[in-house]
Amino acid sequence: MPFVRIDALNAGPDRLDALGRAVHEALVETLGIPPGDHFQVLTDHDGAGSTLRYGDYLGVRRDEGIVYVAITMRTGRSPDRKRALYRRIAELAHTYAGTEPRNVFVTVTENASIDWSLGHGAAQYAPPS
């Protein structure tokens, strides 16, 4: 049950859609999430009313093509699976949206089953004991 936020600068609806497809497909391929488990917030920043900041941290030369991908999901994936996820997101973002892999910044935040309510005010992953 990943929840994904994607922020891009001057992306437009087509590029945002392509980035969303890239991330979702990577999650399905590398982590085995169900295809229907598709929860995303896609935000385009215009550079005036809202913008994104980036730097050359760790020697990665980022530019205005920067894309931030924040994934919140339940804990339990191995470091190797996460590395595969990061690689696949960068590959598919390049293929689908033309985003240079150096501009794909991904962060994963993990939490417990009780930290999710998928509707109806219920904790579907952590039923009452």
Side-chain angles (χ1 to χ4, degrees):
M1 174 57 206
F3 176 69
V4 176
R5 294 190 61 94
I6 300 173
D7 291 85
L9 190 58
N10 296 313
D14 291 339
R15 183 167 176 241
L16 277 178
D17 180 66
L19 290 166
R21 285 186 294 116
V23 172
H24 185 68
E25 187 174 311
L27 286 163
V28 171
E29 286 181 16
T30 63
L31 301 186
I33 70 161
D37 188 348
H38 194 182
F39 298 91
Q40 298 181 333
V41 175
L42 310 174
T43 305
D44 184 10
H45 299 269
D46 65 9
S50 64
T51 194
L52 301 176
R53 301 280 186 238
Y54 51 87
D56 294 337
Y57 185 64
L58 295 178
V60 179
R61 191 181 59 79
R62 298 167 192 86
D63 59 30
E64 66 279 349
I66 189 75
V67 173
Y68 290 111
V69 179
I71 302 169
T72 303
M73 62 186 179
R74 292 185 292 161
T75 191
R77 276 65 173 211
S78 71
D80 286 342
R81 288 184 76 180
K82 289 179 188 176
R83 285 183 185 98
L85 173 65
Y86 306 149
R87 275 191 305 273
R88 193 64 177 142
I89 289 172
E91 291 168 358
L92 292 174
H94 187 250
T95 300
Y96 294 165
T99 302
E100 292 295 325
R102 64 186 166 82
N103 278 322
V104 179
F105 184 106
V106 181
T107 182
V108 169
T109 302
E110 296 179 312
N111 58 22
S113 293
I114 191 61
D115 297 317
W116 295 87
S117 174
L118 310 179
H120 298 292
Q124 286 87 349
Y125 290 140
S129 45

